[in-house]
Amino acid sequence: MITKMQCATAVAAVVGLALGTSGAAQAEGLKLTVWHNTQDTPAVLGLYKAYEEHSGNTIELVDIPADDFQATTLTKWASGDRPDILEYFPNLANLDRLNPSQNLIDLSDEDFVGRSAIYDLGGRASDGKVYAAITTFPETWGLYYNKQVLADHELEPATTFEEVMAQCAVLSKAGITTLHQAGGSSWPVYATPLVYASGVTEPGWVDDVIAQKARFDDLDSPWVLAMQAWIDMKDAGCYNSDMTTATFEQSTNAVYAGEAAYQMIHSNIAAVYLDAAGGDADALDAAVGFVGVGATEPKTVMNAGPIGSFMAPKTGDDAQEAAALDFIRFVTGEGYPDYIQASGTFPIQDGVPAPDASQLLKDIKAAYDKGPRVILINQNVPGGDGNGLQVVSELSVGQLTPVEAGGQLQQGVAAAAQALGLPGW
């Protein structure tokens, strides 16, 4: 059940708020609902409170569970329900699902767009307009690893799937899980084939899919290759025995405790690792590192993530829309430097100083900088592999072969392309 909570009590005030780039609306003591991910970091939660203090308005958080974040958000959205502020995935495929030209305020002319190159990566829909304000360093996908486990077995952090498979032979003999999977949380299992497929996708492949020159179920498609690699690792005994029921928090705990060598997931989970370490950043840095990973050669897979990415839905209430814009301008403007310092992550806006980050976050930044960087394969595919979680779930328990799974993904792409009215579909 989705719950609501107040961030703080509103301060009685009269606040002048600009709507768009011209004109103004006056509002006082407004309550703004925010659909937010329950994995919001303490820094993001602090950003909501900072806005309350800045504006005199109140933020009411509507919890969207991280385990089923995308599906829950889309279900609520499809019901016609709207928040004042939406925290959600800012990539093209997910923005298109929201029918942004009709339902979201165009942010293209806002000042923050010109202060960051991140809008070359995300925040824009198919019409080229910016609908999402991104505040957080891009999600960088790779391997969290236990330093002591690797050292005890004289292994270096793996930077390719081939190296993970080779290390699996060593670690399995010692009774250590090589790559911890979390089927109980559904989406983390999806991460492994997603990262693999992203690393082997040839330039132009997505365009060929849209032009119907290539399919997801082709024998040489990135997805078929990726799902076969996932099965090969399962058959080799590289995964935990409770992989179908374990949660991603259990994965982080297993890696931190040295019960597993690796977890493949994105950089925003660093905060969950800090929780596993009881909030002790030094203990975490001593135990856990991070490295980028590719299929057959080192790569850094990345995307703009949902945590700290905000949209302003059109609600039909001028005062509420103006207040939502005021929130977005605050979190990308006056409130942004303090947020970066509190988060310990790296700024994406020009001229904002970086904080003194933990070693784990420095590892993540180093992986991002090292590259070569590639964008997640599903970011610009119609529908964004919207049925991918279900497909990989069925693959993981042997209900689908890799080619059959690719066929299911192809059906999802076709349905999305038809809904978007793409030519030829």
Side-chain angles (χ1 to χ4, degrees):
M1 178 177 180
I2 295 174
T3 62
K4 298 184 179 181
M5 67 176 188
Q6 296 287 345
C7 275
T9 302
V11 178
V14 177
V15 186
L17 302 173
L19 177 60
T21 56
S22 64
Q26 298 294 320
E28 58 178 285
L30 294 177
K31 179 172 70 176
L32 299 175
T33 57
V34 179
W35 291 1
H36 88 114
N37 190 306
T38 54
Q39 279 300 319
D40 272 352
T41 63
V44 173
L45 296 175
L47 197 55
Y48 301 136
K49 292 185 178 182
Y51 173 71
E52 290 184 315
E53 295 172 359
H54 163 80
S55 67
N57 293 327
T58 302
I59 294 291
E60 182 180 35
L61 295 181
V62 179
D63 292 347
I64 308 294
D67 278 355
D68 205 20
F69 178 69
Q70 184 180 52
T72 301
T73 300
L74 291 176
T75 298
K76 285 175 64 65
W77 186 269
S79 75
D81 195 6
R82 295 289 184 270
D84 295 302
I85 299 160
L86 174 64
E87 184 184 38
Y88 191 59
F89 294 96
N91 60 293
L92 181 148
N94 276 293
L95 285 172
D96 280 350
R97 290 183 182 184
L98 305 178
N99 192 9
S101 64
Q102 298 297 316
N103 294 318
L104 299 176
I105 294 174
D106 181 3
L107 305 175
S108 303
D109 293 331
E110 294 293 322
D111 290 344
F112 66 82
V113 176
R115 295 197 297 265
S116 177
I118 194 70
Y119 298 100
D120 295 332
L121 171 66
R124 297 181 187 272
S126 290
D127 60 10
K129 296 178 180 179
V130 174
Y131 293 102
I134 303 168
T135 66
T136 304
F137 191 77
E139 284 183 341
T140 302
W141 295 73
L143 293 167
Y144 290 90
Y145 62 89
N146 184 283
K147 296 178 179 180
Q148 193 61 52
V149 167
L150 297 189
D152 287 347
H153 295 86
E154 299 181 341
L155 299 172
E156 294 294 323
T159 58
T160 68
F161 277 73
E162 291 177 345
E163 291 174 0
V164 173
M165 180 69 96
Q167 292 184 9
C168 175
V170 176
L171 295 167
S172 294
K173 290 180 181 178
I176 295 173
T177 296
T178 301
L179 183 60
H180 204 281
Q181 297 285 349
S185 294
S186 184
W187 64 269
V189 177
Y190 185 48
T192 305
L194 183 63
V195 171
Y196 188 104
S198 300
V200 297
T201 300
E202 295 291 338
W205 183 81
V206 171
D207 291 337
D208 285 345
V209 169
I210 294 173
Q212 301 188 61
K213 297 177 181 177
R215 292 175 53 89
F216 274 61
D217 54 356
D218 290 337
L219 291 179
D220 61 349
S221 96
W223 271 108
V224 170
L225 296 175
M227 289 184 283
Q228 185 60 56
W230 192 95
I231 289 176
D232 290 345
M233 295 179 76
K234 178 186 176 184
D235 291 345
C238 301
Y239 304 148
N240 42 304
S241 60
D242 63 345
M243 57 164 289
T244 60
T245 59
T247 65
F248 78 89
E249 292 92 347
Q250 289 174 320
S251 291
T252 59
N253 288 337
V255 172
Y256 178 72
E259 298 167 1
Y262 295 107
Q263 179 189 20
M264 186 172 298
I265 206 161
H266 57 71
S267 54
N268 282 349
I269 298 301
V272 183
Y273 272 92
L274 186 59
D275 289 342
D280 188 333
D282 290 337
L284 177 58
D285 285 342
V288 177
F290 181 91
V291 66
V293 64
T296 58
E297 58 183 346
K299 289 186 178 179
T300 300
V301 179
M302 50 181 276
N303 70 290
I307 303 298
S309 292
F310 300 108
M311 298 140 219
K314 295 177 180 178
T315 62
D317 186 316
D318 289 347
Q320 294 293 123
E321 290 182 4
L325 276 174
D326 186 60
F327 169 83
I328 286 175
R329 289 166 182 159
F330 174 78
V331 301
T332 58
E334 183 179 337
Y336 187 70
D338 288 342
Y339 162 67
I340 289 299
Q341 292 299 318
S343 69
T345 58
F346 301 93
I348 57 172
Q349 289 194 20
D350 298 337
V352 176
D356 183 15
S358 68
Q359 184 56 51
L360 179 59
L361 292 179
K362 289 178 181 177
D363 287 351
I364 292 167
K365 180 65 160 55
Y368 174 85
D369 289 340
K370 182 178 180 180
R373 294 192 288 268
V374 295
I375 297 175
L376 278 179
I377 186 175
N378 63 349
Q379 294 299 283
N380 297 320
V381 172
D385 303 341
N387 60 341
L389 295 183
Q390 181 62 35
V391 168
V392 173
S393 177
E394 293 177 9
L395 175 88
S396 70
V397 295
Q399 293 178 354
L400 293 174
T401 68
V403 172
E404 289 170 342
Q408 295 285 336
L409 292 175
Q410 181 67 27
Q411 290 179 22
V413 170
Q418 290 166 10
L420 290 170
L422 297 184
W425 291 86

